[in-house]
Amino acid sequence: MKTNVLFTTVACCALLVPAIQANAQDEVVVEETTEIITDVPCKTHYYVDKKDNWFIQFGAGVAVPFVEGRNSSGDRESHFTVNYNVGFGKWFSPYVGWRLAFNGGPLHYEKDGMSKFKYVGANLDFMWDMFNSLGGVNSKRVFSIIPFVGLGGTFAWDYSPKGDIMGKHGPKHNSWTLPVSAGLQLRFRLCKYVDFFAEARGSFYGDNFNNIAYGRPVDINLTVNGGFAITFGGRDYRSYNPCDYLGYINNLNNQVNDLRGALATTAAALAAAEAQLPCPEVVEAEVVEAPAVPLMATVRFTLNSAKISDIEMVNVFNIAQWMKENPEQNVAIAGYADKDTGTSSYNMALSKRRAQAVYDALVNKYGINPDRLAITAQGSDVQPYDVNNWNRIVIFDVAQ
């Protein structure tokens, strides 16, 4: 096709600005200063908002004291007494939480039931979700095992008999003790907001828990409770992974570097045109269509994945818009995989799934005619980038 290139000559003559002095044959060097981020650790982090994952609990069960005077005949029936439990707390990560638990009731510690007292205690517990720590975070897990340890205070009163610990006016009628405790909770998820729990706690006191100071050096109270825990807002956790944004940032950096290269090439062409002043005589020239060049948009994938992230879907949208604005152009979709992971045959299939995922998104989500698209799978035999992690990618070309 012949055409008059008068507009080229006019533009050349108009740019009589001696600001750029360069030889048209000089090599164009582009200094890429945009940093490509590759060393961000790809670890998912979990956190809880201040208002989330607060819970209250209530329940009941039995208590069994192991103190002086406990009957050794084997008849334990009279030693089981009712125990009540209430508490509140918060999970401040999927792994650990705290609670303030209150429990109390009457205690009998001899067969005839005449040796007894009442108590109420408070414990500040540190709780560990074993399954989330060892098996991965899952807020919808049906069953969990939660060990806990605690420190607390217990007030006991109404001793019968009075005991042998003396006060100012005879045998003491009440006492304060500071126990340490440990236990295990079994938690069953009923719904997003409600759990059923069953737990056992062993509390260890000084020798004066039952107001008797001979025999056992440590008094023990074992409680077993069942009940319900209600979580406000539901038991859930928020998460983020720095690598979710890494591909998007690096893709933008690559586009910036490509634009810098194009700008340097244009500057060199302008310098070459100025070097030919005064402008040459206008001649007719045959216009040759430039060969197809790779489109700037790419779609990056994570390791061993063919799923398009929400961030990378932006680039699929841009290609779709470009094809709608250029209905005469067809596009080739080439999928790649990195060579350091997987076999050659597996990577070939993976690269094809990546290209197919982009193809499906263009056709089904953005309405591109499938006749305008072609898929190729390059596997890991072809590595378009020197940095290995960059090769988990789909690259677009203008099809001939």
Side-chain angles (χ1 to χ4, degrees), residues 57-63 81-87 102-105 119 196-200 223-229:
Q57 65 178 56
F58 53 91
V62 295
T81 55
V82 66
N83 178 264
Y84 303 98
N85 172 273
V86 295
F102 301 89
N103 61 88
Y119 81 102
F196 172 78
F197 71 88
E199 70 178 45
T223 59
V224 179
N225 292 298
F228 299 92

Side-chain angles (χ1 to χ4, degrees), residues 52-64:
D52 292 338
N53 282 276
W54 284 94
F55 66 89
I56 61 172
Q57 65 178 56
F58 53 91
V62 295
V64 183

Side-chain angles (χ1 to χ4, degrees), residues 167-179:
K168 293 182 179 180
H169 306 289
K172 295 181 65 174
H173 297 280
N174 54 62
S175 68
W176 280 97
T177 50
L178 300 176

Side-chain angles (χ1 to χ4, degrees), residues 223-253:
T223 59
V224 179
N225 292 298
F228 299 92
I230 301 174
T231 303
F232 297 100
R235 178 156 44 89
D236 203 359
Y237 311 100
R238 302 180 186 274
S239 64
Y240 71 94
N241 190 322
C243 292
D244 292 342
Y245 307 96
L246 184 60
Y248 179 64
I249 294 173
N250 286 341
N251 183 55
L252 291 178
N253 288 340

Side-chain angles (χ1 to χ4, degrees), residues 345-363:
S345 59
Y346 180 85
N347 288 337
M348 182 64 69
L350 176 60
S351 66
K352 184 175 181 179
R353 293 201 308 271
R354 288 170 173 168
Q356 185 67 48
V358 174
Y359 174 94
D360 293 342
L362 287 171
V363 172

Side-chain angles (χ1 to χ4, degrees), residues 134-156:
L134 303 181
V137 176
N138 181 1
S139 62
K140 298 181 180 179
R141 183 175 282 113
V142 175
F143 173 68
S144 300
I145 297 178
I146 303 172
F148 60 88
V149 294
L151 296 173
T154 299
F155 178 70

Side-chain angles (χ1 to χ4, degrees), residues 205-388:
Y205 300 84
D207 196 22
N208 61 329
F209 177 49
N210 64 336
N211 212 26
I212 297 175
Y214 70 86
R216 291 178 177 271
V218 176
D219 291 340
I220 302 174
N221 187 31
L222 176 64
T223 59
V224 179
N225 292 298
F228 299 92
I230 301 174
T231 303
F232 297 100
R235 178 156 44 89
D236 203 359
Y237 311 100
R238 302 180 186 274
S239 64
Y240 71 94
N241 190 322
C243 292
D244 292 342
Y245 307 96
L246 184 60
Y248 179 64
I249 294 173
N250 286 341
N251 183 55
L252 291 178
N253 288 340
N254 288 334
Q255 293 186 37
V256 170
N257 287 330
D258 290 342
L259 290 173
R260 285 175 173 164
L263 181 61
T265 301
T266 302
L270 177 60
E274 290 181 342
Q276 297 178 15
L277 295 177
C279 295
E281 182 180 356
V282 177
V283 295
E284 291 185 348
E286 182 178 359
V287 177
V288 180
E289 293 185 0
V293 297
L295 298 176
M296 292 182 64
T298 60
V299 179
R300 296 183 181 273
F301 295 84
T302 57
L303 180 65
N304 194 30
S305 173
K307 180 180 179 181
I308 305 173
S309 67
D310 292 341
I311 292 176
E312 292 299 317
M313 190 62 75
V314 172
N315 295 323
V316 180
F317 172 81
N318 289 337
I319 288 295
Q321 291 299 108
W322 183 87
M323 295 188 71
K324 292 176 180 178
E325 294 171 0
N326 298 271
E328 75 286 353
Q329 297 287 356
N330 298 330
V331 169
I333 305 170
Y336 297 84
D338 70 275
K339 64 181 180 181
D340 285 353
T341 55
T343 64
S344 178
S345 59
Y346 180 85
N347 288 337
M348 182 64 69
L350 176 60
S351 66
K352 184 175 181 179
R353 293 201 308 271
R354 288 170 173 168
Q356 185 67 48
V358 174
Y359 174 94
D360 293 342
L362 287 171
V363 172
N364 300 328
K365 189 170 184 177
Y366 297 113
I368 299 302
N369 188 340
D371 294 338
R372 299 178 60 195
L373 301 172
I375 292 179
T376 60
Q378 302 294 340
S380 56
D381 298 333
V382 178
Q383 300 285 275
Y385 298 107
D386 293 334
V387 179
N388 184 58

